[in-house]
Amino acid sequence: MKKEDITSLYVKVGRIRKGVADEAGIKCADVYIATHYLNHIRDRHKTELKLLGLSPILMVKIVLDNYNRIYQGSEESILLVCFEEKAKSHLTAALTLNYIVKKGFWEVRTAQPRSSDNLKKKKEIWKKKKRIR
């Protein structure tokens, strides 16, 4: 795919870093989101985004900058999760990503706030190590 094709259809939102990728056993690569997935996030999660005061692209970037767990998703997908252990309800913000082999990058499929309850059924493949002070 030519560079101009990517920039007209996709927005680069971040990168899965080498250290994290190696520990999780996943590909180290840039992360992009297609414009139609931004529309999907806006349309399907309108209420949550409004409550948080976030645009779809900002929510995606916040999760990419702050995720502290990675879970195996369904089929070939992974979930990047911002998990707050001290929160009473264990609310999380999650991105679903698929690695697109032909394009050589991770693609965000959706982003949403969600309860951590459904993560209990998923396999955790990476957890950020706590810093010792």
Side-chain angles (χ1 to χ4, degrees):
M1 180 174 272
K2 295 179 183 176
K3 181 123 178 131
E4 60 271 10
D5 294 338
I6 290 176
T7 57
S8 66
L9 300 174
Y10 292 92
V11 177
K12 182 178 175 186
V13 288
R15 182 169 181 80
I16 302 291
R17 301 279 177 212
K18 184 170 178 10
V20 171
D22 288 349
E23 288 178 23
I26 60 175
K27 295 277 187 190
C28 169
D30 290 331
V31 179
Y32 286 84
I33 188 165
T35 53
H36 66 275
Y37 284 121
L38 284 171
N39 294 335
H40 161 81
I41 294 166
R42 184 194 64 234
D43 295 344
R44 294 286 303 263
H45 307 293
K46 195 180 305 186
T47 304
E48 297 97 328
L49 291 169
K50 187 175 181 179
L51 189 66
L52 295 168
L54 299 174
S55 67
I57 191 84
L58 187 54
M59 176 157 178
V60 168
K61 288 183 175 185
I62 287 171
V63 175
L64 272 164
D65 288 343
N66 296 288
Y67 68 91
N68 53 9
R69 295 186 185 186
I70 302 175
Y71 291 85
Q72 185 63 52
S74 55
E75 299 173 23
E76 298 296 316
S77 70
I78 60 170
L79 301 172
L80 300 187
V81 177
C82 292
F83 184 87
E84 179 56 55
E85 292 185 50
K86 294 178 182 173
K88 286 182 182 178
S89 61
H90 294 294
L91 287 177
T92 64
L95 299 180
T96 301
L97 281 73
N98 283 58
Y99 186 74
I100 310 300
V101 175
K102 290 181 180 178
K103 297 174 186 172
F105 60 78
W106 288 98
E107 181 178 45
V108 176
R109 296 293 176 97
T110 193
Q112 63 185 353
R114 59 167 59 170
S115 166
S116 63
D117 289 343
N118 69 348
L119 294 175
K120 293 174 185 173
K121 300 174 186 173
K122 305 284 184 189
K123 179 183 176 189
E124 184 179 276
I125 59 173
W126 179 82
K127 184 176 181 180
K128 186 174 185 177
K129 295 179 178 88
K130 293 182 182 181
R131 292 184 182 170
I132 300 172
R133 296 181 185 197

